[in-house]
Amino acid sequence: MQEQEKFWNLTQNGMTSDSVSALPKEFCERMQQFLGEDAERFFDSYQKERVYGLRYNSLKFSSKDAFESIISQNKEWELSQIPWCSEGYYYKSGQFPGKHPLHEAGAYYIQEPSAMSAVELLEPKPGEKICDLCAAPGGKTTQIAAKMKGEGLLIANEYYGNRAKILSQNVERMGIANTVVLNESPEHLTQGFCAFFDRILVDAPCSGEGMFRKDPQAVHEWSLQNVELCAKRQREILCCAAEMLKPGGVLVYSTCTFAPEENEQCIAWFLEEYPEFSLDHSIVGEQYFSSGRVQWIQEDRFQTNLEETGNKLDGTYRLWPHKLHGEGHFAARLVKTGVGMEAGKEPSEIRIASLHNEEKQNRLGKKVDNTKEKEAYQLYLEFERNNLKIVLEEKIKGKLVLFSDQLYLLPVDMPDLKGWRTLRAGLHLGIYKKNRFEPSHALAMYLYSEEVRQYAECEEPLKYLHGETFFCDSALKGWVLVGTAGLPLGWGKATNGIVKNHYPKGLRICY
């Protein structure tokens, strides 16, 4: 097929777009067939500018009003409420909240508005055990963590190593303590977390059709073959999630694509394969979201089964760019009822197709001897007494664990880390080296200004983020939590009226 034949020109019928000049021809033909008379409105949405969103971090603020009070000081920002997410706001094109010190302070997360819907449907609760199975880059993980209010266990897993590192950095920036970041395949996780979680989010890798307006590169990477490959992998991931969810637990499946093979057809197959699951209707955003469409399911037996249950895909939701202010998404909320589960039932071939038993190397290293552990703990406790006004082990339900020379406060509900590729084992407290303890950046981002004995408000935070020293009250000595607008940015060490910069070199920025 010649290059010009592969794409459908958006300038047809007078439609134009700054971000996307053409869409895959086969994609357009499919969407025309699926949407019928509504297709014109759908394609017309591509001549409109994409929308932008951020979600404020409720772990950092006492209330929504407190966040809005700080934002109101930035006169150039114009925020408006995202209706299906109380923490979410639209911002206008030409505004750059991602390039602001408040972003580095973890005050908010830049997130596409429609993407906020999946966690709203999941409805996380404090104290639960929750898994974000395909978690990078961290938008939904940090959204879940905020709703958990620091209580319970959140496992954020990402298969791809480079993406897992970005996920871990975002967990750190948002000041989250009760999250363990793993770099595992979903298949391997089933071996250690069978019927373990209260809630699981599967934000599945997909063909990305819903992101065409946001990410023009996705247009050029699209193909029907990729849709089929994604659908196959999505079924495998859902099988793993089913094994790890407790009876009575909630599973939310989401994609950012329009393809029925990856959405309605995937859910219909899953309900046939796992009769212990049922769709659960949610009132979250129902006035804004459209229902999934049973007529887009190809196999009659799936359609018949759904119609017989009386729900006709109630509990599945589509977010269309021509019907709301956001990009394209699909989500389904399911509950594991226990009905249909049989003792000793053999798993289907697809359940075990890609399970593997190879040994995994724990990236945190091996646990050290007790003598070193005790010395590291004592040095940390000395740091805590001298620099904090709180006792972390009383505030956080965790246990101090030393891996090599790294000290963590591991959530108490987390099983043994042996055998798991772990990037972040809860709250990283700091490093033990040369018979001294040095606090981590993660600890700084977790703390509130009133929880430390010494806090320095930085009048020029951009210079601090660049790595520069700054003047301070000459009464300050030793470790100082440096912040802006009362929110932490990192550590500094004060002496003679000057704060030496301890912002991590790998994070330093220049705007």
Side-chain angles (χ1 to χ4, degrees), residues 31-99:
M31 296 309 297
Q32 183 73 56
Q33 178 184 356
F34 291 144
L35 293 174
E37 294 180 357
D38 210 23
E40 183 176 353
R41 288 182 60 212
F42 170 77
F43 289 121
D44 187 56
S45 70
Y46 286 92
Q47 69 178 315
K48 299 176 182 178
E49 188 173 35
R50 56 164 290 205
V51 296
Y52 300 83
L54 62 82
R55 175 181 45 77
Y56 91 88
N57 184 4
S58 59
L59 294 175
K60 297 280 188 178
F61 297 94
S62 59
S63 67
K64 187 172 184 175
D65 288 342
F67 168 74
E68 292 183 347
S69 175
I70 288 180
I71 292 300
S72 66
Q73 299 172 25
N74 296 280
K75 304 298 183 183
E76 70 275 15
W77 292 3
E78 293 182 37
L79 302 184
S80 57
Q81 183 70 54
I82 294 173
W84 51 87
C85 178
S86 62
E87 296 84 14
Y89 294 84
Y90 295 106
Y91 67 91
K92 294 184 179 298
S93 175
Q95 300 173 354
F96 303 99
K99 295 182 177 181

Side-chain angles (χ1 to χ4, degrees), residues 5 18 121 140 174 198 221 242 319 339 353 408 412 419 424 426 443 446 467 471:
E5 295 177 344
D18 293 334
L121 293 171
K140 296 177 178 66
M174 302 297 275
D198 299 294
E221 295 175 353
L319 284 70
V339 177
Y408 288 81
V412 291
R424 185 169 296 274
L443 178 58
Y446 170 76
F471 293 107

Side-chain angles (χ1 to χ4, degrees), residues 80-136:
S80 57
Q81 183 70 54
I82 294 173
W84 51 87
C85 178
S86 62
E87 296 84 14
Y89 294 84
Y90 295 106
Y91 67 91
K92 294 184 179 298
S93 175
Q95 300 173 354
F96 303 99
K99 295 182 177 181
H100 193 282
L102 287 175
H103 178 267
E104 306 312 313
Y108 48 80
Y109 191 100
I110 305 298
Q111 189 174 18
E112 196 281 313
S114 292
M116 301 177 192
S117 60
V119 174
E120 296 300 313
L121 293 171
L122 186 67
E123 296 183 300
K125 301 289 191 300
E128 294 181 325
K129 299 183 184 74
I130 300 178
C131 178
D132 187 354
L133 195 51
C134 312

Side-chain angles (χ1 to χ4, degrees), residues 198-209:
D198 299 294
R199 299 175 198 265
I200 298 177
L201 174 64
V202 176
D203 184 39
C206 69
S207 58
E209 295 173 355

Side-chain angles (χ1 to χ4, degrees), residues 11 70 98 149 167 199 311 339 365 411 441 497 504:
T11 58
I70 288 180
K149 300 180 180 178
L167 165 65
R199 299 175 198 265
N311 59 36
V339 177
H441 183 62

Side-chain angles (χ1 to χ4, degrees), residues 10 41 61 66 94 108 110 140 157 180 211 235 243 273 313 364 373 385-386 389 408 439 457 465 469-470 479:
L10 282 179
R41 288 182 60 212
F61 297 94
Y108 48 80
I110 305 298
K140 296 177 178 66
N157 180 71
V180 174
M211 295 294 105
R235 293 184 180 194
E243 303 294 336
E273 183 70 18
L313 289 180
L364 290 178
E373 280 185 343
R385 285 192 298 270
N386 293 335
K389 296 179 181 178
Y408 288 81
E457 180 77 8
L465 295 171
T469 61
F470 64 93
W479 289 108

